Amino acid sequence: HFDTPIALIKKYGGWKDRRMVDAYVHYCEVLFDRYKGKVKYWLTFNEINMVLHLPFVAAGVVIEEGEEEEQVKYTAAHHQLLASAYAVQAGHRINTNFQIGCMLAAGQTYPYTCAPEDVWEAMKKDREGYSLIDVQMRGAYPPYLLKELERKGITLPMKEGDAKILKAYPVDFLAISYYASRLTSADKELVKQTTGGNVFATMRNPHLKASEWGWQIDPLGLRITLNSLYD
């Protein structure tokens, strides 16, 4: 699940440090070897997109004073993506029958209205979710993410050989968690009117009921999300 050892958070600063990659791959090799005759399906990282939303929970990352938050998050994400690829390499070496997947906190984002600005805002939200699993599944950073990082002045800590390992060892399958759909608008005031959600607070959808926690109940949203990811 979300388990960055506190000792490594103190020693390295969590996944913002590249040394976490080797530590993680060693951990994977121990598990792969121990359970190679008992477990077939593996997930490298739980809800990998959470590094962009809950950096401490998902990556043991504390944003220090003076650090550029987005830069730190994407640095940690790059290290996790590398670790995922190396884990696939190790797993397939230890047992060729292993199926090693990635994991997304999923939930389709709906536009508040059919205004093109709202539709575009919803598309951007979905792309943010897809961006890291695109790397894990396709073996390369998608152009839309690279362009967005360029606009923000964020530099990925890409070293020689990184692109090659990402391309060589994509995951075998995609897994998701789905709690609810989301709703967004280009109207900055309107979008502040939110209801509860698991990490993702969202606009209240008038067409959906909500639980006592405020989480909106959308079973058809699961179908929509699955079809969007499949496509």
Side-chain angles (χ1 to χ4, degrees):
H1 206 250
F2 293 126
D3 291 322
T4 303
I6 293 294
L8 295 182
I9 295 173
K10 291 178 178 178
K11 187 175 182 179
Y12 298 148
W15 282 94
K16 68 174 76 171
D17 192 300
R18 195 180 181 95
R19 288 173 291 182
M20 286 293 295
V21 176
D22 287 340
Y24 175 81
V25 175
H26 173 66
Y27 165 72
C28 289
E29 288 172 337
V30 171
L31 293 180
F32 289 154
D33 189 59
R34 174 66 179 83
Y35 295 105
K36 62 187 174 186
K38 295 182 179 181
V39 177
K40 180 178 179 181
Y41 296 98
W42 302 82
L43 298 173
T44 55
F45 287 91
N46 178 60
E47 298 183 337
I48 194 163
N49 52 320
M50 285 299 96
V51 67
L52 305 177
H53 302 279
L54 297 173
F56 182 76
V57 171
V61 166
V62 177
I63 310 296
E64 305 289 354
E65 188 174 346
E67 287 185 319
E68 211 296 303
E69 184 173 346
E70 290 280 284
Q71 177 66 61
V72 172
K73 287 178 180 178
Y74 278 100
T75 295
H78 180 70
H79 293 153
Q80 289 191 338
L81 292 169
L82 273 181
S84 180
Y86 279 115
V88 172
Q89 181 188 40
H92 287 167
R93 183 184 70 245
I94 290 168
N95 186 335
T96 55
N97 291 321
F98 279 171
Q99 291 288 295
I100 304 172
C102 64
M103 197 334 195
L104 171 71
Q108 190 77 7
T109 305
Y110 304 148
Y112 186 67
T113 71
C114 54
E117 293 80 7
D118 283 1
V119 176
W120 176 236
E121 203 62 36
M123 183 181 287
K124 287 195 293 183
K125 291 287 186 187
D126 283 335
R127 275 182 161 182
E128 181 189 81
Y130 299 155
S131 61
L132 301 185
I133 61 165
D134 269 355
V135 183
Q136 289 179 292
M137 300 193 74
R138 292 173 168 166
Y141 281 93
Y144 66 81
L145 176 60
L146 293 175
K147 200 68 187 172
E148 184 65 18
L149 296 180
E150 182 186 319
R151 290 190 194 101
K152 292 179 176 179
I154 295 170
T155 304
L156 292 170
M158 187 79 73
K159 292 192 176 182
E160 187 177 353
D162 286 4
K164 187 176 180 180
I165 199 77
L166 291 174
K167 179 59 76 174
Y169 297 102
V171 293
D172 299 311
F173 67 93
L174 167 65
I176 70 165
S177 59
Y178 172 84
Y179 293 91
S181 57
R182 299 155 197 160
L183 184 66
T184 194
S185 169
D187 186 323
K188 287 182 170 53
E189 290 304 313
L190 203 58
V191 84
K192 291 177 183 176
Q193 301 172 23
T194 61
T195 185
N198 187 24
V199 179
F200 299 103
T202 182
M203 293 179 67
R204 180 81 175 86
N205 190 327
H207 301 285
L208 298 176
K209 294 179 181 179
S211 71
E212 292 178 11
W213 284 0
W215 296 12
Q216 299 182 106
I217 301 163
D218 187 7
L220 183 57
L222 174 58
R223 174 65 188 267
I224 293 166
T225 297
L226 288 171
N227 278 97
S228 294
L229 289 168
Y230 185 86
D231 290 344

